[in-house]
C-alpha cells in the first residue's frame, strides 16, 4: 500500500482523473488501492492481457486457457466502481505481416463482451493501435464493423507524432488523426501520447487534445508514462515499497499543460449519436484478414472431446521448451505431408479448423 498511497497523492497533485494499467496480479486483493483511487476521483483503464496470457502477433491464437485468465481478471476487478474500461489488446497488429492477429483480438473482444454480459456488466472493451500508416485505417475500420457483439466499444490510438514546440496540430499529423475519427461511431481516445524525442517535453499537444481542435472528437488521452523506465518516458522515479517520489522536469511541464486546459465534456442527456458504422476492410496484400469471419469461440468441451477420441496423446499437459520445440518440428513435418485443416488457420480466407481454438498441446496431439 505504500506505493499506492504515494502514487495517488501524486495523481491528485497532477489533477488527472484516469490512469491506464497494463497488467496486475489479479489473484491478490486490490481493494485498498482501488478505494484510494475512487476517493480521489480517479478511474482505471485496465488491459486484459498479461505477458503470459496474450495474443502473440507473430503466432496469433485465442484459446480457452487464455480466455479463462482474462475472465478471472474480469471477475477480480469488476466489483470496483471506478473500473471504467477494459483494453483487449495493445499494438498487437503493428505492421502488414502481423495483421492476421487482429482477427484473434476481435474474436477475444466478442467473447469477453459476451462474458461481461453474462455477469450483467456493461464495462466497455476496446483496442489500442500503434498508429502505423500502412494499416491504421484498416484497423480503425475493422474494429468498428460487423455486428455489434464483436465490435470494439471504443478505439484507442497510441501516437507519438507531436514532438516539441516546433510542431503543431497540423504539422504533427494530429489533424489527420482527428479527421480519421470525426465520423466514427464509437468513442476514441489517445491511449498513449507524449513524444520524448525533443527535450524537455512540454506536452504542447495537451492544448489541442482537450481544446477545440480535438475535444469534440476524442475522449481525452493517457500520457505515457508515469514511472521512469529504460525508455525514459517517465515523469517520476519511484522504488517498490518506498514512499519517496523523485519528479523530473517533465512532471512540472505536464502538470502545467493540464492546468491550462478546461475540458468541457458532454452530458449524457445532450449526447446525440452521429456517423455510421465502418465498412469492413477487404483482404488484400496489406490486410491479411477476411474481415467478416472471425476465429471461433474457444470450447473446452469440444477440445476435450477431441482428446478423448484419440488413440494416444501426451502424458503431461506441460512440455519443456526443448520438448515443445521438438513437438513443433514433428507436427510441422506431419502437416507438411498431409492435411491438418482441422487444426489450421487461414485468416485471409476466413478458414478456421474445428479444433483451431484448442491449445497448442491439444492441436499437436490431434496431429
Amino acid at each position: 500500500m505504500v506505493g499506492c498511497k504515494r502514487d495517488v497523492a501524486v495523481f491528485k497533485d497532477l489533477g488527472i482523473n484516469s490512469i491506464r494499467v497494463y497488467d496486475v496480479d489479479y489473484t491478490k486483493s486490490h481493494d485498498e488501492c482501488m478505494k484510494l483511487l475512487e476517493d480521489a476521483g480517479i478511474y482505471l483503464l485496465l488491459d486484459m492481457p498479461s505477458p503470459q496470457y496474450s495474443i502473440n502477433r507473430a503466432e496469433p491464437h485465442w484459446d480457452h486457457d487464455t480466455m479463462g485468465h482474462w475472465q478471472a481478471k474480469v471477475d477480480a476487478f469488476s466489483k470496483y466502481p471506478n473500473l471504467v474500461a477494459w483494453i483487449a489488446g495493445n499494438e498487437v497488429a503493428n505492421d502488414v505481416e502481423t495483421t492476421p492477429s487482429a482477427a484473434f483480438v476481435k474474436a477475444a473482444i466478442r467473447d469477453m463482451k459476451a462474458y461481461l454480459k453474462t455477469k450483467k456488466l456493461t464495462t466497455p472493451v476496446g483496442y489500442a493501435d500503434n498508429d502505423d500508416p500502412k494499416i491504421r485505417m484498416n484497423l480503425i475500420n475493422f474494429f468498428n464493423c460487423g455486428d455489434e457483439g464483436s465490435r470494439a466499444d471504443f478505439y484507442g490510438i497510441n501516437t507519438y507524432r507531436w514532438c516539441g514546440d516546433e510542431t503543431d496540430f497540423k504539422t504533427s499529423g494530429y489533424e489527420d488523426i482527428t479527421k480519421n475519427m470525426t465520423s466514427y461511431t464509437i468513442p476514441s481516445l489517445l491511449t498513449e501520447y507524449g513524444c520524448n524525442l525533443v527535450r524537455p517535453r512540454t506536452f504542447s499537444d495537451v492544448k489541442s487534445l482537450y481544446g477545440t481542435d480535438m475535444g469534440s472528437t476524442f475522449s481525452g488521452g493517457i500520457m505515457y508514462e508515469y514511472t521512469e523506465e529504460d525508455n525514459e518516458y517517465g515523469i517520476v522515479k519511484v522504488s517498490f515499497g518506498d514512499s519517496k517520489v523523485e519528479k523530473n522536469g517533465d512532471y512540472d511541464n505536464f502538470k502545467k499543460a493540464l492546468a491550462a486546459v478546461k475540458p468541457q465534456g458532454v452530458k449524457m442527456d445532450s449526447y446525440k449519436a452521429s456517423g455510421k458504422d465502418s465498412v469492413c476492410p477487404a483482404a488484400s496484400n496489406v490486410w491479411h484478414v477476411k474481415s467478416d469471419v472471425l476465429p471461433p469461440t474457444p470450447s473446452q468441451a469440444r477440445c476435450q472431446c477431441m482428446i478423448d477420441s484419440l488413440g494416444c496423446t501426451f502424458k503431461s499437459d506441460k512440455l519443456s521448451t526443448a520438448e515443445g520445440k521438438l513437438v513443433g518440428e514433428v507436427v510441422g513435418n506431419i502437416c507438411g505431408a498431409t492435411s491438418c485443416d482441422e487444426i489450421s488457420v487461414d485468416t485471409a480466407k476466413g478458414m478456421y479448423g474445428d479444433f483451431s481454438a484448442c491449445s497448442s498441446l491439444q492441436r499437436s496431439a490431434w496431429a
Side-chain angles (χ1 to χ4, degrees):
M1 279 299 294
V2 172
C4 189
K5 290 179 180 178
R6 170 199 67 206
D7 296 338
V8 170
V10 177
F11 298 158
K12 290 170 68 175
D13 180 62
L14 282 171
I16 61 175
N17 68 354
S18 302
I19 61 172
R20 177 184 177 186
V21 175
Y22 293 83
D23 190 26
V24 293
D25 183 349
Y26 61 79
T27 65
K28 296 181 179 179
S29 173
H30 297 272
D31 293 355
E32 292 184 65
C33 191
M34 289 299 291
K35 188 64 169 68
L36 284 175
L37 289 167
E38 180 187 357
D39 291 344
I42 297 172
Y43 294 90
L44 171 66
L45 290 83
L46 182 58
D47 286 46
M48 287 180 163
S50 63
Q52 187 175 359
Y53 298 101
S54 58
I55 295 171
N56 184 328
R57 67 170 63 96
E59 297 179 359
H61 193 64
W62 175 239
D63 60 25
H64 188 271
D65 197 21
T66 301
M67 184 171 71
H69 281 274
W70 292 22
Q71 289 173 343
K73 187 179 284 190
V74 166
D75 293 343
F77 274 82
S78 289
K79 63 182 178 180
Y80 301 122
N82 52 331
L83 175 76
V84 71
W86 293 102
I87 296 178
N90 183 68
E91 301 186 1
V92 184
N94 63 358
D95 58 23
V96 171
E97 295 307 312
T98 57
T99 53
S101 64
F104 293 89
V105 175
K106 193 169 181 179
I109 289 175
R110 173 201 63 204
D111 295 338
M112 294 309 298
K113 286 177 65 171
Y115 182 73
L116 286 163
K117 190 174 182 179
T118 67
K119 300 290 183 177
K120 296 181 171 54
L121 298 169
T122 58
T123 315
V125 183
Y127 178 71
D129 81 9
N130 71 323
D131 197 27
D132 182 270
K134 291 184 179 179
I135 63 172
R136 74 164 68 100
M137 288 311 304
N138 282 333
L139 285 171
I140 287 170
N141 291 328
F142 179 63
F143 283 101
N144 189 39
C145 75
D147 66 276
E148 186 175 350
S150 63
R151 293 202 303 261
D153 296 316
F154 66 92
Y155 194 83
I157 300 174
N158 299 344
T159 186
Y160 296 89
R161 300 192 196 188
W162 193 315
C163 299
D165 290 339
E166 297 301 315
T167 310
D168 58 28
F169 178 60
K170 187 177 182 66
T171 59
S172 65
Y174 269 44
E175 182 180 47
D176 296 328
I177 293 176
T178 305
K179 287 178 180 178
N180 291 339
M181 311 305 290
T182 300
S183 60
Y184 213 47
T185 56
I186 58 175
S188 54
L189 68 155
L190 299 189
T191 33
E192 291 179 12
Y193 73 92
C195 173
N196 70 350
L197 296 179
V198 178
R199 296 287 190 172
R201 290 198 289 174
T202 57
F203 302 99
S204 50
D205 46 353
V206 167
K207 181 178 180 181
S208 283
L209 180 58
Y210 293 104
T212 56
D213 288 336
M214 304 171 70
S216 61
T217 300
F218 283 89
S219 301
I222 305 292
M223 186 277 296
Y224 186 83
E225 65 181 331
Y226 176 60
T227 55
E228 184 73 284
E229 298 177 23
D230 292 340
N231 57 16
E232 299 184 344
Y233 276 93
I235 59 174
V236 303
K237 286 184 178 180
V238 297
S239 298
F240 182 77
D242 190 342
S243 61
K244 181 181 178 182
V245 179
E246 182 181 339
K247 303 172 183 177
N248 61 31
D250 288 352
Y251 180 95
D252 295 328
N253 289 339
F254 184 54
K255 181 180 178 179
K256 181 179 179 181
L258 289 176
V261 296
K262 305 295 179 184
Q264 297 302 309
V266 178
K267 294 183 178 180
M268 283 301 296
D269 56 4
S270 302
Y271 173 74
K272 293 182 180 179
S274 60
K276 57 183 179 180
D277 296 341
S278 304
V279 176
C280 288
S284 68
N285 62 338
V286 295
W287 182 250
H288 304 159
V289 178
K290 190 176 188 298
S291 297
D292 59 345
V293 183
L294 296 178
T297 299
S299 169
Q300 189 175 33
R302 170 179 286 193
C303 296
Q304 188 59 51
C305 181
M306 179 267 286
I307 290 295
D308 292 342
S309 72
L310 300 178
C312 63
T313 184
F314 296 100
K315 291 182 178 180
S316 173
D317 60 356
K318 291 185 179 180
L319 299 178
S320 67
T321 301
E323 290 171 333
K325 183 179 180 181
L326 179 60
V327 169
E329 292 174 355
V330 172
V331 171
N333 291 333
I334 292 172
C335 292
T338 187
S339 173
C340 286
D341 288 350
E342 294 296 312
I343 59 171
S344 297
V345 165
D346 187 334
T347 59
K349 295 180 179 179
M351 295 174 57
Y352 301 94
D354 289 341
F355 306 117
S356 61
C358 297
S359 71
S360 59
L361 200 62
Q362 289 170 327
R363 285 179 283 127
S364 297
W366 181 92

